[in-house]
Amino acid sequence: MCKMWPMRLFHQTKTQDAESIWNDGFRDSEVIVDDGCAGEKFVGVRLFDDPIGWNPNPDGNNLLLAVEIPEDAISEYEWVTTVEAREFFVPASVVNFYGPPVVEEVDLLGNLLDGIDLSGI
C-alpha cells in the first residue's frame, strides 16, 4: 500500500468567521451550485485544491484558509466541474479532524505584471 500525501486545500471565508472556525471548527453549510441548469445542493465545507480561482470580496473582509487532508480521505466528496481547480464538499467533521486551518498568503496580482515595462508610468 502506498502512502497518500496530503492535499493542500483552500476555503474562502469572511474575516469575522475565521475566529469561530479556529475556536469551534468548521460547520457544515448548505451550498447550491448553479451549473447552468437547476443547480445542485451540497452540504459540507467547500474546499478547492487551487487558490487561483479565489475571488476576494472588494471590501477586504475575507481570508483564504488552508488545510491539509489526505486525498483518500476526501476523494468521495469531490464535485467534478469543468473548471481547472478540483472542488470538494467535505463534511465538517472530516475537515476538523485534519485542522485547524492556517491563513494562506495570496499574491492577488501573481506574476501578472511580469515582463511589462512600468518605468514610464
Side-chain angles (χ1 to χ4, degrees), residues 19-38:
E19 186 173 347
S20 173
I21 291 171
W22 287 313
N23 291 335
D24 304 321
F26 285 98
R27 294 186 191 143
D28 288 324
S29 61
E30 185 176 293
V31 177
I32 297 177
V33 178
D34 183 7
D35 60 358
C37 298

Side-chain angles (χ1 to χ4, degrees), residues 7 23 30 43 61 66 73-74 83-84 86 91 113:
M7 291 179 65
N23 291 335
E30 185 176 293
V43 176
N61 187 23
I74 60 165
V83 296
E84 292 184 25
R86 293 173 68 188
L113 300 178

